[in-house]
Amino acid sequence: MAYVQIGPILIAEAMDTQQDSLKPRPAMRAAAFSVHIFTAFGAAIALLAMLEAVREHWAAMFQWLGVALVIDAIDGPIARRLDVKNVQPNWSGDVLDLVVDFVTYVFVPAYAIVASGLLLPVAAPLLGVAIIVTSALYFADLRMKADDNHFRGFPALWNAAAFYLFLLHWSPLWSTLLVAALVVLTFVPFHVLHPVRVVRLRWLTMSLIAIWAVLGLYVLEMDFRVGTGVTVAMCAIALWISFSDAMIRLVRSFA
């Protein structure tokens, strides 16, 4: 009987030892959690951007939002490299990413759009509320990305929208109409290119993004006082990101 009882005990101990060997080591867990901290720093950067916006230092605000954009671009690949989702299963990187994205892509830019005087005074607060509400709904929409990784509708990139409002500096009426149109387009099911995750013509898209980044830094250095050529180039890149999928589908329909 003793041998009968010892057998299952030995098997259980072996299974426990195997499970322990599969558990992430403390160094791995620490490295994985540091990625979450890195992502969370995007929210801290948003605070610094907000402080500059309150002082109406718009170029400095966009510089901080650019830093947040860099963090957002590289934290995902690092997280996948370190298998953060499995090493730190109690912390949701997806939720954290959405929180940080909302304050950097939506909240701070919405304040800048409303407080900068670029819109009609009577419409600015209403459109600011519309930006916040529609963007919150968009972030909660599980259909926000298509199967081919395109965004559905205007993807709440209000940091980019605010940048172009400052760059173009249209009359308050036209700027107001543009913002209102983007609010509506949030729920129109056209496809907007994801610069990194869409495979089709990725080499072209990434090349254009690199050019845009260089031009963007120049625009901020010049405090938005740039020539027509720079403005046209940056608008052309924005049109490619926004409507390339629709243009390609249209061309294929005639082929």
Side-chain angles (χ1 to χ4, degrees):
M1 291 296 294
Y3 289 106
V4 174
Q5 293 177 352
I6 291 172
I9 294 174
L10 292 175
I11 293 173
E13 289 179 349
M15 291 178 63
D16 291 340
T17 302
Q18 183 178 12
Q19 290 177 355
D20 290 339
S21 65
L22 294 176
K23 290 181 180 179
R25 297 177 180 178
M28 293 175 59
R29 292 176 60 84
F33 191 73
S34 69
V35 179
H36 288 320
I37 296 175
F38 181 64
T39 300
F41 259 98
I45 297 298
L47 175 62
L48 299 178
M50 191 71 173
L51 293 174
E52 297 293 352
V54 171
R55 301 185 185 102
E56 297 187 354
H57 298 165
W58 306 118
M61 179 199 75
F62 282 111
Q63 288 170 351
W64 282 118
L65 291 179
V67 174
L69 190 62
V70 172
I71 292 174
D72 185 48
I74 65 178
D75 65 348
I78 296 173
R80 288 186 288 273
R81 176 88 175 179
L82 297 178
D83 196 20
V84 172
K85 188 173 184 179
N86 293 319
V87 176
Q88 286 286 1
N90 294 327
W91 301 85
S92 174
D94 292 335
V95 174
L96 178 59
D97 195 54
L98 286 176
V99 171
V100 175
D101 284 353
F102 189 81
V103 294
T104 56
Y105 283 75
V106 178
F107 195 84
V108 175
Y111 173 82
I113 291 171
V114 172
S116 60
L118 294 173
L119 306 183
L120 293 173
V122 67
L126 296 176
L127 286 176
V129 170
I131 289 171
I132 297 298
V133 173
T134 58
S135 297
L137 292 173
Y138 186 85
F139 274 44
D141 192 346
L142 298 179
R143 304 162 300 170
M144 67 185 296
K145 285 183 182 176
D147 294 336
D148 59 359
N149 287 322
H150 281 81
F151 292 107
R152 295 182 187 270
F154 173 66
L157 296 176
W158 288 104
N159 52 350
F163 181 90
Y164 278 95
L165 286 173
F166 280 88
L167 175 65
L168 298 172
H169 213 279
W170 287 345
S171 69
L173 175 60
W174 285 108
S175 294
T176 299
L177 292 175
L178 175 60
V179 172
L182 291 176
V183 168
V184 174
L185 287 173
T186 302
F187 301 106
V188 176
F190 73 103
H191 285 188
V192 176
L193 185 68
H194 190 299
V196 177
R197 296 187 179 180
V198 173
V199 177
R200 184 181 61 198
L201 296 176
R202 181 185 286 168
W203 64 270
L204 175 59
T205 301
M206 295 306 296
S207 298
L208 292 174
I209 291 297
I211 295 172
W212 191 95
V214 173
L215 293 177
L217 290 173
Y218 174 72
V219 168
L220 295 180
E221 181 66 25
M222 299 301 294
D223 198 17
F224 295 97
R225 293 186 293 269
V226 295
T228 303
V230 173
T231 301
V232 170
M234 300 201 75
C235 288
I237 295 172
L239 290 174
W240 169 259
I241 298 296
S242 301
F243 301 111
S244 61
D245 182 74
M247 291 187 292
I248 291 172
R249 290 175 185 270
L250 181 62
V251 171
R252 287 179 175 176
S253 67
F254 289 104

